[in-house]
Amino acid sequence: MIEVRGLTKIYTLGKKVIHAVQGVSFTLQKGEILGLVGESGSGKSTLGKMLLRLIPPSSGQILFDGQDITHSRSPALCRRMQMIFQDPYASLNPRMTVADLIAEPLKIHRFDNAPKRVDELLDLVALPRHAKGRYPHEFSGGQRQRIGIARALALHPDFIVCDEPISALDVSIQAQIVNLLLRLQKELGLTYLFIAHDLAMVRYISTRVAVMHQGQIVEMADAETLYSQPQHPITRGLLSASSRCKII
């Protein structure tokens, strides 16, 4: 579904040059979940945002279904590629009701029968339909993230970047959200890039795992191989630092 070739992002701050992402290349198959791990500042979120063209790359190519979309702003592509954001407290407009939040992308892209679709999406993420008239501050963190997931699904996307979707949640809620994402992936045939710090969750949800360090992918393998036979010192360091690195 996705092929990334030599993707690079460079920021210039005065005389300082920051290589946020450096020559990253990989492929992502339809229906796959690619976990992306690394230290803070390793370039994970920047890479995810470039794939959705929220940040323009400095160089390199992004192909989606064989089509070069590196500089595309096509509405059709916007519908097929969505993001679940890290912070469910900051990513939802506090002045909009749940119904308005979920319906907003439907209205922008002129979908018919938005109210019916909102009800369907609430059912998908296991929120009661009567919640649609309430505001984000009336919900827990896990419920807010379900609202964000419903909004990301509104346009029937094929590919979703999950940008640390559980890091702002209580540990007791994280597994619920990961299991919801897994269920939706199977039911809807979705493809995920799952960015996270929690190595146990990444192992649990991912088909393959890529490890980033200083803007580069230093190791990539199927989940079981990477966790049982890590090759790169950075991977070994991340695994040894994680006290929860086990299958849930």
Side-chain angles (χ1 to χ4, degrees), residues 223-241:
E224 288 306 312
T225 299
L226 186 135
Y227 280 75
S228 62
Q229 304 172 40
Q231 300 298 307
H232 197 278
I234 293 298
T235 308
R236 292 196 291 269
L238 289 171
L239 292 175
S240 66

Side-chain angles (χ1 to χ4, degrees), residues 126-217:
L127 284 174
R129 292 187 179 187
H130 62 74
K132 61 188 174 184
R134 296 162 61 188
Y135 291 85
H137 72 270
E138 300 179 71
F139 296 89
S140 67
Q143 290 171 325
R144 291 187 202 192
Q145 195 59 291
R146 289 174 188 267
I147 296 166
I149 293 169
R151 181 177 60 182
L153 294 174
L155 301 174
H156 302 281
D158 300 307
F159 172 61
I160 296 179
V161 174
C162 306
D163 187 13
E164 302 199 37
I166 60 173
S167 64
L169 304 177
D170 292 340
V171 173
S172 60
I173 304 300
Q174 291 179 357
Q176 295 179 22
I177 296 302
V178 166
N179 284 326
L180 172 63
L181 290 171
L182 274 173
R183 176 174 64 79
L184 293 170
Q185 188 264 342
K186 292 173 183 175
E187 289 180 3
L188 305 177
L190 299 169
T191 304
Y192 292 152
L193 177 68
F194 187 83
I195 301 169
H197 280 103
D198 189 324
L199 296 176
M201 287 296 185
V202 170
R203 182 178 190 177
Y204 178 62
I205 195 173
S206 302
T207 313
R208 286 186 300 151
V209 179
V211 179
M212 284 197 76
H213 176 63
Q214 295 184 351
Q216 298 177 313
I217 291 180

